[in-house]
């Protein structure tokens, strides 16, 4: 199984993590981060109050409530129980993929040994180069990621 650029902690957790990381990096105060996080909590309450079958995309930034909710469940809790080999690749500059770095800890805790982690340093969600927080979509690594994944499948 291949998992590429996944937000294993869930979509909404990534927004909260980004606020905290921005404060730690001095881009904002911790007080401002928590003010923003309180706003995120309010947004989450609004998302959870919308009927999942309501497809009005103007309410929630282009995605229906069902999408926001389903992408906000942490998937690592299921991933640790998968018995097949797992290949996980992610860009280290992708705030949403920060939880990927913890997967070896969870895998070892649960006895899973058949996995491979491949962090792409200073790469974003689409494996694009990130320079001073600016994505360079002319420098993408998708082909390298897919080639590595295919080699691992063929080696099984």
């Amino acid at each position: 199984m291949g998992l590429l650029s996944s937000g294993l902690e869930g979509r909404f957790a990534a927004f909260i993590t980004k606020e905290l990381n921005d404060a730690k990096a001095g881009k904002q105060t911790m007080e401002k981060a928590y003010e923003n996080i309180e706003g995120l909590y309010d947004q989450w309450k609004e998302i959870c109050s919308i009927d999942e079958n309501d497809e009005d995309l103007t309410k929630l930034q282009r995605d229906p409530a069902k999408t926001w909710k389903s992408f906000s469940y942490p998937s690592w809790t299921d991933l640790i129980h998968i018995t097949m080999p797992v290949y996980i690749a992610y860009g280290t500059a992708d705030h949403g993929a920060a939880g990927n770095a913890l997967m070896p800890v969870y895998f070892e805790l649960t006895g899973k040994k058949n996995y491979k982690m491949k962090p792409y340093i200073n790469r974003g969600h689409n494996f694009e180069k990130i320079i001073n927080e600016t994505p360079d979509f002319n420098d993408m690594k998708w082909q390298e990621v897919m080639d590595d994944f295919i080699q691992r499948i063929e080696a099984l």
Side-chain angles (χ1 to χ4, degrees):
M1 181 177 108
L3 193 60
L4 310 176
S5 292
S6 180
L8 298 174
E9 294 174 322
R11 179 190 273 186
F12 225 77
F15 297 143
I16 293 169
T17 299
K18 183 177 183 327
E19 291 297 332
L20 294 171
N21 287 342
D22 284 353
K24 290 174 187 173
K27 296 177 186 174
Q28 65 182 359
T29 65
M30 193 58 79
E31 289 78 13
K32 179 63 176 165
Y34 273 94
E35 180 182 317
N36 293 342
I37 290 169
E38 286 296 326
L40 288 168
Y41 292 154
D42 291 341
Q43 186 180 2
W44 184 245
K45 288 176 189 172
E46 178 186 354
I47 289 168
C48 289
S49 73
I50 296 172
D51 183 326
E52 286 189 358
N53 297 314
D54 185 345
E55 295 294 326
D56 182 354
L57 302 184
T58 62
K59 292 181 181 175
L60 300 172
Q61 302 174 20
R62 302 174 307 279
D63 283 337
K66 186 174 187 176
T67 301
W68 277 100
K69 290 177 187 177
S70 68
F71 285 149
S72 290
Y73 282 100
S75 56
W76 71 266
T77 56
D78 294 324
L79 192 59
I80 59 174
H81 300 292
I82 291 175
T83 57
M84 68 180 70
V86 177
Y87 173 80
I88 299 176
Y90 62 98
T92 62
D94 178 2
H95 293 287
N100 285 275
L102 292 172
M103 286 311 299
V105 174
Y106 300 140
F107 284 150
E108 293 295 330
L109 278 172
T110 58
K112 183 170 186 61
K113 305 292 184 197
N114 201 356
Y115 66 90
K116 172 63 179 164
M117 303 293 298
K118 179 69 175 170
Y120 284 80
I121 308 301
N122 296 323
R123 297 283 168 168
H125 181 74
N126 288 299
F127 301 104
E128 76 281 9
K129 189 172 190 173
I130 304 293
I131 303 170
N132 296 324
E133 297 186 37
T134 303
D136 179 359
F137 292 106
N138 293 313
D139 187 350
M140 305 270 283
K141 292 288 185 188
W142 270 112
Q143 191 62 54
E144 180 181 318
V145 171
M146 292 309 298
D147 289 346
D148 188 42
F149 177 56
I150 290 168
Q151 284 177 347
R152 292 179 190 285
I153 290 174
E154 290 173 344
L156 292 176

